[in-house]
Amino acid sequence: MTSPEEFSRLQSMMSRTVKDHWKAFLFEGILLAILGVAALILPPLASLAITIFLGWMFLISGIGGLVVTYWARSTPGFWWSLISAALAVLAGLLLLARPMQAVLTLTIVVGAYFLAEGVTTIMYALEHRRELSGRWSWLLISGLVDIAISFMVITGLPSSAEWAIGVLVGINLLFGGASLIGMALAARNSNT
């Protein structure tokens, strides 16, 4: 377990690192914000790009898994590892062979994820309410927003497949970039 002194030292080191490299954080934040805006402007293109990217990631990780599994063929769990790697290769090939159809499938998965995440978050919030936690309402709101997103995505199928992944990733990139920009500017101002 981390002691308060170790935590304070780690926090101080992180703060120094951000101060020393604030320009890199600013650049990354601007780049993420630009990509987020681009995804929001052209969500169908962003959805397709994300699908192709995921296809390549599955394919590369599956091939890597096959190679590692072959080298470690005498270890326990060989067949499970082999099946897992082969499934990753198959998923990658399917995503790359039919990216437009894969966008629809990924959209369904995203909708189901947001529904499950929303229900789970609401249950977690209600559990915190029972324990008189002061912040349970924020969790409840987050869960309700997740369910609303799921409802919009699922009820809008198949047309929501065009925009859903691109918009959600765009929002994520925009807010992530904005927070990095804010952090970099705060670090820069504390340098002076």
Side-chain angles (χ1 to χ4, degrees):
M1 187 160 188
T2 306
S3 71
E5 297 84 29
E6 290 174 358
F7 182 75
S8 178
R9 188 177 60 82
L10 181 62
Q11 210 172 18
S12 176
M13 287 173 47
M14 288 175 58
S15 183
R16 268 193 312 271
T17 300
V18 172
K19 284 180 185 180
D20 292 344
H21 303 288
W22 71 269
K23 289 179 184 176
F25 286 104
L26 180 64
F27 176 77
E28 181 182 1
I30 291 170
L31 181 63
L32 288 177
I34 290 170
L35 289 172
V37 169
L40 289 171
I41 291 172
L42 297 167
L45 182 61
S47 295
L48 185 61
I50 292 161
T51 301
I52 292 169
F53 176 76
L54 284 174
W56 280 108
M57 296 306 293
F58 275 116
L59 183 62
I60 292 168
S61 70
I63 291 170
L66 288 174
V67 169
V68 169
T69 300
Y70 177 75
W71 283 341
R73 60 188 172 273
S74 61
T75 60
F78 165 78
W79 289 107
W80 294 114
S81 184
L82 182 68
I83 290 169
S84 175
L87 285 174
V89 169
L90 179 64
L93 289 173
L94 289 173
L95 289 172
L96 292 171
R98 298 179 152 293
M100 294 305 289
Q101 290 83 357
V103 168
L104 177 61
T105 303
L106 287 176
T107 303
I108 293 168
V109 169
V110 166
Y113 168 77
F114 273 96
L115 179 61
E117 181 68 18
V119 169
T120 304
T121 303
I122 289 170
M123 298 310 291
Y124 187 70
L126 294 175
E127 189 69 30
H128 272 263
R129 186 191 75 189
R130 285 190 210 123
E131 297 170 6
L132 303 175
S133 174
R135 297 194 178 115
W136 75 274
S137 60
W138 287 105
L139 287 170
L140 179 67
I141 291 168
S142 174
L144 292 172
V145 168
D146 285 347
I147 289 175
I149 290 169
S150 172
F151 181 77
M152 289 184 330
V153 170
I154 292 172
T155 59
L157 286 171
S159 63
S160 64
E162 280 186 34
W163 58 264
I165 294 173
V167 167
L168 293 172
V169 169
I171 290 169
N172 182 275
L173 289 171
L174 183 60
F175 278 95
S179 57
L180 281 175
I181 291 168
M183 182 181 70
L185 294 177
R188 180 195 69 179
N189 292 339
S190 70
N191 264 345
T192 57

